[in-house]
Structures are given as structure tokens and as C-alpha cells.
Amino acid sequence: SLSLSLCGRVAMSSAWCGPLPRSCFGVDIGGTLTKIAYYEKACDHEDHEFREKVRKLMATPATYGSTGKRDEHLEFRSDILGGSVFLARFETRRMASFLDMLRTEQVLLHDTAIYCTGGGSRKYAPTFREHLGVELCRLDELNCLVDGINFMIQHGHELYCVDHQTFRESGERKQPEDIGEQRFPYLIVNIGSGVSVLKVHADFTHERVGGTSLGGATFFGLCCMLTGAESFEEALSLADQGEASSVDLLVGDIYGGSYEEYGLGESVVAASFGKLTRPEVRQNVQAKDMARAVLDMITNNVASIAHLHARRHGTRRVVFAGNFLRQNRISMARLSYALNFWSKGKMQALFLAHEGYLGALGAIVQSGTHHTALTQTSSENGFRHTSSRSFASEAPEDTDLTAAASAASAASAAATTPTGPSPAAPARPASIQLRPDCLRTSFVRLPPDVVRAVLLLSAVLHGFRPAVCSAPS
């Protein structure tokens, strides 16, 4: 049997181990924004002074300066965590001011837990240590994202879809059909500076299956060069006013109408920036049209990649995430339309209510992983394996995750099933992916080679063919 008690994973089958042991911070330090999720444990008498300082600081408008903001409308109480979650953000370039404020107000104690993810978790770790005497518990960025999404889905009303025809003007969100436990598998398309595509098999298992280098930074960089925009917000504002058809070559421009034989309407883009081959167009092109054409090109490319991955992996739901989508109704509407168009209505584009904070929330969720462990006992051979994801600074740099836990669970269940007539069991996977860093015990630190050898042996005993972790080409 498989006993799930790992705080870092929120399984539907009562896998959650209960409230977190103490109040803590989850911080996602990105290149542009730093997002903070503060978890306050209910009735935490031991941390009373700490809680009061944090509450006072969060309630003071001066705390956030000109670039920071507290998103009170997104804050919530979690019965799963056993406390409340508060959310705030500020521009990462203001990190020095943020640290000075924490030091002046003496908010952080020497044992204050800060669970940190994002690229800045490595960059700013020495700064936190030198200025505040606090060690950051660094966690993998994509792991935190997936954990944050799965965790928030447990609370309901996190996912929503949009009508591409009305969303830009109305901003109206629609609740998707109730997916419940049937949400797996699904894809996460994380649009940051670049794009990563993740397949989520279950609460405990996901893998990176692809991506592209053409993402949010591509849009902003090209807009800086082509339009003179000096901020991401300015580039988006220009795009909102522009018309891409002024520079894009459309099907109608080539055929004089629709290409009916293949179902391509006259407004479908045949070649992004295709009209700029004409001197008269180049002479009269406007910055706002260039910005819109760049935005549509990047968005269409992401939607195409998402659709192809969804087809390849047999998933119907695609969750789009990433700061690129913050305040970006144009891309959200286009992603929804494109996925619906290419799949002929069979696939659904979903978006997240807590967009931007999922990494920080995932860091809070993972904060419990060093207190509990995943325990597996095989009644067939008496083999007992206790393990949990590697913690803090031991988090790996790459993002492919193991499917060993779910595979071993299936094997264990099959081994203990009584003989006799029974419903057909799911087909056993042909191979599993092994990563020793994801399966180290939180009580005994074994060398990676030893752990890998044990896992390989366990896999062979259960009849699996081990495979090396790798992203598809």
C-alpha cells in the first residue's frame, strides 16, 4: 500500500498531512517582480510577536512604496493549511529597499523560515544572509509552480476560461466544467521570459515535455527595438491600440478571400510581418501596429506549440500560466481562440485566478516536505522505502521530475490485489524515470548513486524498464 503524507503534494485522496507547523514566507523572486505569500498559522501562540509585526507591516501603505502592492482581493483562508495566506508584490529592482525595511522593522528572527523560488532565490541568497542573517530555503521554480496550481485547484474556483469574442472588452471570466479528480492528465504552458510546457500526471508527478525560446522577453525585446517602448506595460499598451493586419500578410491578401478548401478564413495570418516586404507599407508603419503584430506572433506560436503537445500527450485541458499573461487580455483571448480553432472545439484553454502568485504559494506548500515523508511498503517482498523530495538548497537546477512514485504505487497495488475476477487494471507503463534527488529521505541523506541503485533494483523487482530522464526533441 502507498501512504501519502507529504506536505509538498496535495492529493485528492486525503493525502494532505494537515496544517503546516509554523507561520512562514513563500517568496518568488523573478527578474521583474518579486511575489510574496505569507502564511499565518491559526492560533500560533509561539510566534505571536512575529505575527503582530508582519500584520502591522502589511497593513501600512508606506510598506509598498511606489511599486509595491498588496493584493487583498486574492488573499484567502485555507482549511488545508490551517491558517490564512496574505499576498503582496513589488519590483525586484527595489530589493535593497525591501531588505532595509525588514532590517529596520526587525521583522525577521534568526529562525524565520523563508522558502524561496525563482531565479532570484540564488542571486539574492548571499544578500539575505549578510544583511538579515537569514538563510533562504531555495526551491525549484517549476516544481513550485505545479505545486501551487494543484494546491489552489483544491480550493475551487481557481481555474477559469474566457470567451475570445467578448473578453477583451468585458473581462468576464467563465467557470469551466467541474473537472474534479478527472483533471489529470493536463498541460501547463508557463509563459515567462521563455516558455515551458509541463505535463501533470497527478498531484505527485509531472514532467517537462517541451518549450520554446520565444516568450515574454522576446515580445518585450522586439518591441523595445521596433517601437521604442521602455517598459513591458508600455509595449502592451501600444499593442492594445494597434492593428496587426496593417503589417501581417493575411490569407485574404493572397487569395482575395478565404481559402475554403482548407477552412482558412480571409483574416487568418499567412505570414507575420509579411506586408513589410512592401516599401509603401514600411514607410507608413506605426509603432502601435508593430507592437500588436509582435504580440500576436508570439501568442500564436505559443498556442500552436500548446496544441501540438496536447495532441501528442492526449490531454484535453491546457492551463496557461506566467506573468506574460498578467493584464494581457489580448493574448488570453487569442490563446483561447487559437486552441479552440485548431482542436475544432475539443480542447479548452484555462487560466488561473492567482496568476503570478502560484510559485510563492507552491513554496509555502513545499515548506512542509522536510517534516514528513512518503512511505511505501510492499507486502509482496517486505521492501520498505521512505522518501521525500530533496529540500532547500538541494533542489536540482533542471525541471524533469520522476514518475517513480506513481509507478511504484501502481505496482504495489497490483501486487496486493486478491486473486479472482476483478475489473481490468490500467496498463502498466513501459518505463519509469528515476531521479534520486527527488526521492531522498528527509531523515537519512544517502549518496545519489546509492539511491539510484536502490530505485533501479526496486523498479526491476516491480517489472518496470528503467529509462533515462530526457525532454523530447
Side-chain angles (χ1 to χ4, degrees):
S1 62
L2 185 66
S3 173
L4 286 178
S5 60
L6 189 64
C7 284
R9 291 284 182 265
V10 187
M12 295 295 290
S13 57
S14 301
W16 187 253
C17 67
L20 295 181
R22 61 183 299 182
S23 301
C24 64
F25 286 99
V27 181
D28 181 2
I29 307 178
T32 303
L33 290 176
T34 294
K35 289 76 65 177
I36 301 173
Y38 165 60
Y39 162 69
E40 182 181 85
K41 182 181 178 181
C43 303
D44 192 350
H45 301 295
E46 295 181 4
D47 286 343
H48 177 73
E49 182 181 355
F50 168 73
R51 286 165 36 136
E52 289 302 312
K53 284 185 177 181
V54 175
R55 273 184 172 270
K56 180 180 179 181
L57 206 59
M58 295 194 72
T60 304
T63 297
Y64 306 97
S66 60
T67 68
K69 182 180 180 182
R70 177 182 173 186
D71 287 311
E72 295 183 66
H73 66 288
L74 294 177
E75 296 173 352
F76 62 97
R77 173 174 173 77
S78 170
D79 291 333
I80 298 176
L81 290 178
S84 300
V85 178
F86 303 89
L87 303 169
R89 54 187 163 89
F90 64 91
E91 291 186 3
T92 303
R93 63 190 177 92
R94 305 288 190 182
M95 182 64 72
S97 299
F98 172 69
L99 296 179
D100 286 341
M101 178 191 65
L102 292 181
R103 182 172 52 189
T104 301
E105 298 295 332
Q106 297 182 336
V107 173
L108 303 183
L109 306 175
H110 70 281
D111 61 344
T112 299
I114 299 181
Y115 299 89
C116 195
T117 187
S121 63
R122 176 182 296 273
K123 178 179 179 180
Y124 290 101
T127 307
F128 272 82
R129 186 184 307 115
E130 294 168 9
H131 287 71
L132 301 175
V134 173
E135 291 290 338
L136 295 182
C137 302
R138 292 192 290 108
L139 301 167
D140 180 82
E141 186 171 1
L142 292 183
N143 290 348
C144 286
L145 173 69
V146 177
D147 286 349
I149 291 175
N150 281 334
F151 169 69
M152 290 308 302
I153 289 176
Q154 306 296 315
H155 290 78
H157 305 295
E158 177 64 24
L159 298 175
Y160 67 91
C161 53
V162 303
D163 184 332
H164 67 272
Q165 295 179 321
T166 62
F167 180 67
R168 278 193 61 195
E169 290 73 26
S170 67
E172 179 184 1
R173 301 177 177 184
K174 296 184 177 181
Q175 290 299 318
E177 61 187 59
D178 184 19
I179 57 179
E181 295 186 38
Q182 303 304 315
R183 69 182 183 276
F184 301 117
Y186 70 91
L187 289 188
I188 296 175
V189 179
N190 186 43
I191 314 173
S193 297
V195 180
S196 286
V197 181
L198 307 167
K199 182 179 180 181
V200 183
H201 300 275
D203 280 315
F204 193 65
T205 309
H206 64 271
E207 60 179 322
R208 187 181 187 277
V209 294
T212 174
S213 60
L214 306 181
T218 311
F219 162 69
F220 184 33
L222 288 175
C223 281
C224 288
M225 292 296 295
L226 297 174
T227 71
E230 295 185 355
S231 70
F232 187 82
E233 290 72 19
E234 183 182 354
L236 273 183
S237 179
L238 279 172
D240 191 45
Q241 304 167 41
E243 182 56 60
S245 60
S246 297
V247 295
D248 287 346
L249 190 65
L250 308 182
V251 168
D253 297 322
I254 300 174
Y255 292 95
S258 300
Y259 191 178
E260 296 176 355
E261 290 82 354
Y262 288 91
L264 298 175
E266 61 180 352
S267 62
V268 172
V269 178
S272 296
F273 295 92
K275 287 180 181 174
L276 293 183
T277 59
R278 305 170 184 174
E280 67 274 14
V281 175
R282 291 199 300 270
Q283 291 174 2
N284 299 304
V285 67
Q286 298 186 58
K288 62 182 182 179
D289 297 332
M290 296 285 281
R292 180 58 181 272
V294 173
L295 183 61
D296 285 359
M297 179 182 66
I298 297 298
T299 304
N300 285 339
N301 184 61
V302 172
S304 177
I305 289 173
H307 169 246
L308 293 175
H309 274 292
R311 286 189 60 181
R312 178 185 180 188
H313 295 283
T315 59
R316 190 171 68 84
R317 285 176 288 269
V318 180
V319 177
F320 291 95
N323 276 323
F324 176 71
L325 297 177
R326 181 185 288 274
Q327 307 298 322
N328 186 358
R329 292 183 181 180
I330 297 174
S331 291
M332 293 174 68
R334 183 161 286 272
L335 289 169
S336 181
Y337 168 74
L339 198 63
N340 180 76
F341 174 81
W342 283 319
S343 70
K344 295 179 171 59
K346 295 180 180 179
M347 296 178 187
Q348 188 176 36
L350 298 170
F351 303 94
L352 297 151
H354 285 81
E355 182 54 69
Y357 284 107
L358 280 310
L361 290 167
I364 285 182
V365 170
Q366 285 194 35
S367 69
T369 59
H370 65 304
H371 294 282
T372 55
L374 176 69
T375 303
Q376 175 191 343
T377 304
S378 172
S379 58
E380 184 179 57
N381 55 24
F383 177 78
R384 182 178 179 86
H385 178 66
T386 304
S387 60
S388 71
R389 176 185 293 174
S390 60
F391 177 68
S393 59
E394 297 178 359
E397 294 302 316
D398 57 287
T399 54
D400 294 320
L401 293 186
T402 180
S406 59
S409 173
S412 180
T416 56
T417 301
T419 57
S422 61
R428 177 178 288 182
S431 66
I432 58 175
Q433 296 179 329
L434 304 178
R435 281 265 308 275
D437 53 270
C438 295
L439 295 170
R440 290 183 187 173
T441 172
S442 58
F443 306 106
V444 179
R445 300 296 185 189
L446 298 176
D449 291 343
V450 175
V451 178
R452 182 179 292 276
V454 172
L455 291 176
L456 285 171
L457 176 60
S458 176
V460 172
L461 290 175
H462 284 104
F464 292 101
R465 173 172 56 84
V468 177
C469 283
S470 62
S473 59

